[in-house]
Amino acid sequence: MNWKKFSGEVIHKPILEEIEQAIIRESEMGHKLKICIGTDSQVKGPITNFATVIVLLRAHHGGFMYIHQEKSLQRMGIKERMLAEVQKSIETAYAICDLLDLYDVGLEVHADINTSPSFKSNKALNEAMGYILSMGFIFKAKPEAFASSTCADKMVH
């Protein structure tokens, strides 16, 4: 997977190594971190664009993020697309969770799914929540899911 910073700078080392260095650097500066992972998608004609973000939040001192973008030509309904977003977030969370346990950094997985039944994305809420929670991760949906609904959303448009 290719990751980049918000500035567009490409990360040339494995993302695990980049995250570990960021945790060490931020800890040395006295910042308590929490990591939030989310994915959003946007359909444009036959292409679905996905953006997955790893947001490192510093308690009371802002944050920064890493972004992975990909495209798919697979046609998906809304529920399938929401669950594909969740799958990408879970894969990312799973890849870094041992590192976060090592450094005692909290982790949340955010789903860009509305908790209100009047929204189309709500069709995937129960499955997404069950999937994330069964993997042992903390789950957040809209409006608390800023990693997917704000950060990833900006990267996918």
Side-chain angles (χ1 to χ4, degrees):
M1 273 194 180
N2 295 326
W3 290 87
K4 64 183 180 180
K5 294 181 180 178
F6 185 65
S7 65
E9 178 189 339
V10 175
I11 308 296
H12 294 288
K13 56 185 141 200
I15 193 63
L16 201 60
E17 197 178 308
E18 177 71 23
I19 299 284
E20 184 171 29
Q21 288 173 353
I23 291 170
I24 292 167
R25 181 182 68 242
E26 294 295 327
S27 297
E28 285 173 353
M29 291 192 295
H31 295 136
K32 175 84 175 129
L33 291 175
K34 175 170 76 172
I35 291 187
C36 303
I37 295 173
T39 302
D40 195 14
S41 60
Q42 180 79 36
V43 178
K44 292 185 179 165
I47 297 169
T48 303
N49 294 309
F50 288 93
T52 300
V53 297
I54 302 171
V55 181
L56 285 81
L57 281 183
R58 304 178 191 105
H60 312 294
H61 291 283
F64 56 99
M65 68 179 172
Y66 299 98
I67 303 118
H68 169 71
Q69 294 170 300
E70 59 187 285
K71 297 179 185 307
S72 172
L73 290 170
Q74 183 181 342
R75 294 188 58 80
M76 295 176 242
I78 184 78
K79 186 172 180 179
E80 188 181 5
R81 188 162 54 91
M82 296 295 110
L83 293 174
E85 290 176 8
V86 168
Q87 172 69 32
K88 290 173 188 313
S89 294
I90 286 175
E91 285 172 3
T92 302
Y94 193 73
I96 67 169
C97 65
D98 289 345
L99 176 70
L100 303 185
D101 287 346
L102 182 67
Y103 289 97
D104 192 30
V105 174
L107 172 66
E108 295 177 358
V109 176
H110 293 190
D112 189 34
I113 296 174
N114 207 300
T115 51
S116 168
S118 62
F119 288 85
K120 289 181 187 171
S121 67
N122 183 262
K123 291 179 177 67
L125 181 65
N126 289 339
E127 289 93 334
M129 185 165 51
Y131 188 12
I132 292 167
L133 293 174
S134 71
M135 294 295 291
F137 299 125
I138 294 170
F139 168 79
K140 298 282 185 186
K142 281 181 174 176
E144 298 175 333
F146 67 85
S148 56
S149 58
T150 303
C151 301
D153 178 72
K154 287 193 179 357
M155 303 315 301
V156 85
H157 285 282

